[in-house]
Amino acid sequence: MHCANPNAYYAARAAEYERVYDKPERQADLRQLLSLVPELLRDSSVLEVACGTGYWTQAIAQTARSIHATDLAEETLAIARAKALAPERVSFQVADALALPHGLGSFDAAFAGFWWSHLPRHKVAEFLASLHARLKPGAKVVLLDNLHVAGSSTPISRKSSHGDTYQRRQLSNGSVYEVLKNFPTQDELLSDLVSVATNVRYLALDFYWLVQYEAAA
């Protein structure tokens, strides 16, 4: 088994990443989210962090004024770039979500899908500082991630002394990785956001949670 190395794992998983969206029991939730998220970000200049293969980039691009999608893995970005997205409104860049470069500019909206769960608990504040440094006051932020649902979610394999939880995941080539995957409660999320967010709204579906808020001035 490979130890938790997110860069190596997502590089190896890139070609099969979007299979997670094929689970039959999740289709109703996904239809709702694929309708809701683009509406929340309509007519905005959006910074997307950890865009992966561009699954959500593709949806947001339907309504956003522009979207600049970033990820740390070249392998997943290559798949995202191959999607038929308008180059005058959609751009991609390799960037670390924990140290978003100043050269990205400022945005009036941000999206992070299925990234929060892969943040170690002690790096949440670091991520929020990095993200909000690239946002205008009052910018709209949408965070989307998994709820843990027995029988659908991969079981938790262990919990660290810091409270982080891990899963063992097997890829189609048989390789097994231990991956950090946290499932915060609503109260934990709201507590993490209290100093940077206003007008926070939390939505729990059957398999996913969504938080929307405005960046505090």
Side-chain angles (χ1 to χ4, degrees):
M1 182 179 70
H2 301 275
C3 293
N5 181 337
N7 294 340
Y9 169 69
Y10 286 106
R13 187 189 171 195
E16 58 189 86
Y17 183 86
E18 293 188 11
R19 294 179 191 173
V20 70
Y21 298 116
D22 294 336
K23 293 189 174 186
E25 71 275 16
R26 302 187 182 188
Q27 296 312 300
D29 274 12
L30 286 170
R31 283 192 296 271
Q32 183 173 345
L33 291 169
L34 287 168
S35 175
L36 176 61
V37 171
E39 284 304 313
L40 292 175
L41 298 170
R42 179 175 289 278
D43 299 325
S44 301
S45 62
V46 181
L47 171 61
E48 182 180 6
V49 297
C51 71
T53 56
Y55 181 91
W56 294 95
T57 315
Q58 190 169 240
I60 295 165
Q62 297 170 16
T63 61
R65 185 169 73 254
S66 65
I67 178 167
H68 190 65
T70 65
D71 199 273
L72 197 55
E74 287 278 10
E75 292 81 1
T76 52
L77 275 178
I79 295 172
R81 288 189 178 107
K83 296 183 186 295
L85 300 175
E88 67 274 13
R89 293 194 300 111
V90 182
S91 55
F92 296 94
Q93 180 176 337
V94 174
D96 185 348
L98 298 177
L100 293 166
H102 179 77
L104 287 177
S106 297
F107 299 82
D108 57 30
F111 176 76
F114 306 93
W115 162 244
W116 192 275
S117 57
H118 295 294
L119 274 171
R121 291 293 308 150
H122 71 280
K123 288 187 177 291
V124 166
E126 183 179 350
F127 165 63
L128 289 171
S130 172
L131 177 65
H132 281 251
R134 304 275 63 81
L135 299 181
K136 298 174 182 178
K140 296 177 289 187
V141 181
V142 177
L143 307 173
L144 171 63
D145 221 306
N146 296 97
L147 294 170
H148 190 274
V149 180
S152 181
S153 303
T154 302
I156 299 299
S157 57
R158 71 178 177 93
K159 185 173 183 177
S160 75
S161 59
H162 300 292
D164 293 312
T165 53
Y166 292 80
Q167 297 172 329
R168 291 179 180 175
R169 298 184 179 180
Q170 183 170 331
L171 301 182
S172 58
N173 64 5
S175 60
V176 178
Y177 290 79
E178 184 181 62
V179 178
L180 184 150
K181 183 73 172 180
N182 285 324
F183 297 92
T185 66
Q186 179 179 353
D187 286 345
E188 287 171 337
L189 284 165
L190 298 183
S191 177
D192 287 333
L193 295 170
V194 68
S195 65
V196 299
T198 61
N199 298 323
V200 183
R201 298 181 182 180
Y202 175 90
L203 172 67
L205 302 180
D206 291 333
F207 296 93
Y208 306 100
W209 59 259
L210 181 146
V211 165
Q212 57 175 303
Y213 67 88
E214 295 173 10

